[in-house]
Amino acid sequence: MSELLPPVIVGAGPAGIRAAERLVAAGLRPVVVDEAARWGGQIYRQPPDGGFTRPKTALYGFEAGKADALHRAMAAIRDRVDYRPRTLVWNCEAGALDLLSEGASEALPFSHLILATGATDRVLPFPGWTLPGVFTLGGSQVALKFQGCAVGRRVAFLGTGPLLYLVAYQYLKAGVEVAGVFDTTPFAAQARATAGMLRDPATLAKGLLFVGWLRAHGVPIHNGVRPVRAEGAERVDALVWRDARGQVRRTACDAVAFGLGLRSETQLADLAGCRFRFDEADRAWLPERDGAGRSSVPGVYLAGDGSGIAGADAAELAGERAALALLEDLGRPVEAARVKELDGRLARIVAFRRSLSAAFPFPADWADAIADDTMICRCEGVTAGAVREVARSGQAREMNRAKALTRAGMGRCQGRMCSATTAELLSRTLGTGPYGVGRLRAQPPIKPLPIATVVPSPPRGEGQGEGDALRGPGRSTALFQPATNAPPRIPLTQPSPRFRRTEGPSVASAQTSFAHERGGEGTDDGREVA
């Protein structure tokens, strides 16, 4: 490895921090790039600096000790890594990452890269899901942990997976009224999977405690439900749902938090050229990796939930294992006993996670109940009926063709929220299963970029307004000014010469479509789905 190209880690969550810790111990100084203002990832997200005094036991519950250990680990190596918080990686191509930080775009070349990109909520729409007051489960949790506020006074929790019960428990502990937990999984499925989950009795016990705590405090828990609609005018005021016997019922609430497990963030792995495979347990296309975290691209390693949902404990182990693989590939000595220990612990967690997936299966029939006039892609205003029509007419038999014909996935989230729905609708209509319709190809930028940060204001005489005249001829606003000695920006109307992809919308057109939307990074950061 060139001395001019230190290893780069994308993500400062459990996987990224443990990878950095191992590389530092080997005498390297990795670059750690992270979107968040402080390290910890989504699961151990730290509150903002200044005036936020809730203890870690209140923020992280049973996981407070793990959160504290991870935070301390990063703090201990802080002066030995090139840590870049508040930095978005929006492209990966030709051995370099494109970054956006403090209004400036920069290319960061690498020879070895560990992608620890984490996961976000997986959702399927239902009538009323765009009403104010409807949030993802992850967004609701972030609001509580990072912002110290609840998404409502009386919250209904809908969906499936361990996160459903965890967030409901956290809200109840914080003093919020929980209107109910509405689990799409039949109770019998969870009972059948109990034997497999005994592989990790501690985790199973925590799950049972969450359920017991909710029931002991009078929270109704319903299994085998399906949503009918969220009701309300200017905001949600009720969740209408169908119980396991088919009876339609109504529960008053002022917020709904919903999600169907997690979905790996794989866009950067795709742009890096990694080969993908379909994973039945995750019901998703995931980048291929070996047991050590090596991808199909030499020098690119994968760790944590970004390459398969396995949880925070597995992410820590996988981050360290990927770092050891990187060191091995550099010809550095590694401790064989530690490698064997990590491999064994990861194998046990993977087996447990398979049992967990069986206990909380994805409700595949939900897609059949989505009405044709239900909006599935909020960015582009695409309905379920539009996707079904291109499938029935024979115009689209795979995801990218459906995207081209309907524009589902072309908006500001680049399919991060609607791709799962599109795949389910397309595959159910065609009768192929999600494997048969392929996956959306990633497009840079993977998240919205503000045009103001990369397009300079025109010189005097070329559309300059009164405010611009006060700044003098040819000058930009403060937002447009790069830091001293900052790398040159890449104008979005003139894509980087490293771009070789031609399918889908151009970077310029994609950014134009983003211009009229709200600022921000998507719906997994604590804001409403609507």
Side-chain angles (χ1 to χ4, degrees):
M1 180 180 64
S2 169
E3 292 300 325
L4 298 178
L5 294 177
V8 177
I9 301 169
V10 178
I17 290 175
R18 293 306 183 190
E21 186 179 44
R22 175 57 68 174
L23 294 179
V24 166
L28 302 179
R29 183 181 175 84
V31 180
V32 179
V33 184
D34 192 48
E35 285 184 64
R38 304 178 70 187
W39 58 81
Q42 293 285 20
I43 184 67
Y44 300 135
R45 180 186 284 260
Q46 296 190 74
D49 286 319
F52 199 97
T53 58
R54 290 186 71 201
K56 289 187 177 181
T57 52
L59 289 171
Y60 311 111
F62 293 117
E63 310 303 323
K66 294 179 182 178
D68 186 60
L70 197 76
H71 295 159
R72 289 178 180 273
M74 184 63 177
I77 61 171
R78 175 65 184 83
D79 60 346
R80 289 175 284 170
V81 300
D82 181 358
Y83 174 53
R84 305 190 186 188
R86 299 188 181 91
T87 300
L88 168 67
V89 181
W90 58 270
N91 186 31
C92 177
E93 194 168 357
L97 301 173
D98 287 308
L99 314 179
L100 181 72
S101 179
E102 297 184 355
S105 184
E106 171 189 358
L108 176 66
F110 64 84
S111 60
H112 293 76
L113 172 68
I114 297 178
L115 294 175
T117 48
T120 189
D121 294 272
R122 178 171 58 183
V123 300
L124 289 180
F126 58 94
W129 77 298
T130 57
L131 278 172
V134 180
F135 292 74
T136 64
L137 284 171
S140 302
Q141 187 184 49
V142 168
L144 197 65
K145 289 193 298 187
F146 182 68
Q147 298 163 334
C149 63
V151 297
R153 293 182 174 87
R154 178 177 166 84
V155 185
F157 293 88
L158 166 69
T160 191
L163 190 63
L164 176 69
Y165 293 91
L166 171 60
V167 182
Y169 166 81
Q170 290 173 332
Y171 265 66
L172 187 64
K173 288 277 286 185
V176 179
E177 183 180 0
V178 176
V181 175
F182 305 90
D183 193 337
T184 61
T185 303
F187 179 77
Q190 295 176 353
R192 286 194 301 269
T194 301
M197 290 192 290
L198 287 172
R199 293 184 178 94
D200 189 344
T203 300
L204 176 60
K206 282 188 290 187
L208 294 174
L209 185 146
F210 296 150
V211 173
W213 180 277
L214 291 165
R215 289 191 185 279
H217 287 77
V219 175
I221 297 176
H222 305 278
N223 286 86
V225 309
R226 290 294 182 271
V228 175
R229 63 184 175 274
E231 289 185 341
E234 296 183 355
R235 185 180 175 89
V236 171
D237 57 34
L239 174 67
V240 180
W241 51 284
R242 183 176 288 105
D243 66 20
R245 294 172 295 183
Q247 182 179 352
V248 175
R249 303 171 65 177
R250 183 181 187 275
T251 298
C253 60
D254 64 355
V256 175
F258 83 113
L260 302 171
L262 298 175
R263 180 192 59 76
S264 297
E265 293 276 42
T266 61
Q267 297 94 326
L268 288 178
D270 191 0
L271 293 174
C274 297
R275 189 166 56 244
F276 277 62
R277 59 174 175 78
F278 187 78
D279 185 273
E280 291 287 352
D282 278 8
R283 202 176 178 86
W285 290 87
L286 301 175
E288 291 184 3
R289 60 172 174 172
D290 66 12
R294 296 181 181 88
S295 75
S296 60
V297 178
V300 176
Y301 307 82
L302 306 165
D305 284 347
S307 54
I309 307 303
D313 291 348
E316 290 192 50
L317 301 173
E320 182 181 358
R321 185 66 184 91
L324 289 172
L326 187 156
L327 293 171
E328 286 181 304
D329 294 343
L330 290 176
R332 300 289 188 94
V334 298
E335 186 181 348
R338 181 58 177 169
V339 168
K340 183 177 180 180
E341 179 187 358
L342 291 173
D343 289 345
R345 292 173 65 184
L346 283 168
R348 288 191 292 274
I349 290 176
V350 168
F352 173 77
R353 288 288 163 176
R354 297 299 181 187
S355 299
L356 204 59
S357 296
F360 298 100
F362 182 82
D365 64 319
W366 183 327
D368 294 334
I370 300 175
D372 280 347
D373 61 355
T374 301
M375 187 181 299
I376 65 163
C377 174
R378 295 166 296 126
C379 300
E380 296 293 330
V382 182
T383 64
V387 175
R388 290 188 176 117
E389 176 57 30
V390 297
R392 292 186 184 120
S393 66
Q395 298 178 76
R397 300 192 63 83
E398 61 90 31
M399 289 284 286
N400 293 285
R401 183 62 177 163
K403 172 183 175 181
L405 293 173
T406 67
R407 294 192 61 82
M410 284 192 183
R412 69 189 298 269
C413 86
Q414 289 288 280
R416 294 171 67 242
M417 297 301 294
C418 65
S419 61
T421 303
T422 304
E424 294 295 329
L425 288 171
L426 193 63
S427 64
R428 300 285 289 190
T429 305
L430 295 171
T432 64
Y435 171 82
V437 297
R439 63 185 178 87
L440 284 182
R441 292 185 293 267
Q443 299 281 350
I446 63 170
K447 291 186 180 179
L449 299 180
I451 291 177
T453 62
V454 289
V455 179
S457 60
R460 180 186 291 273
E462 297 183 19
Q464 191 173 31
E466 180 179 350
D468 294 318
L470 296 176
R471 291 190 293 270
R475 296 187 63 191
S476 303
T477 66
L479 285 176
F480 299 150
Q481 295 293 338
T484 305
N485 298 323
R489 296 192 180 95
I490 303 171
L492 295 185
T493 51
Q494 301 175 15
S496 165
R498 296 196 294 109
F499 288 0
R500 296 188 299 274
R501 298 171 181 260
T502 57
E503 68 270 19
S506 67
V507 174
S509 66
Q511 295 312 311
T512 300
S513 72
F514 295 151
H516 70 277
E517 296 280 359
R518 296 185 301 195
E521 299 175 0
T523 56
D524 58 338
D525 57 357
R527 287 194 296 276
E528 293 169 279
V529 168

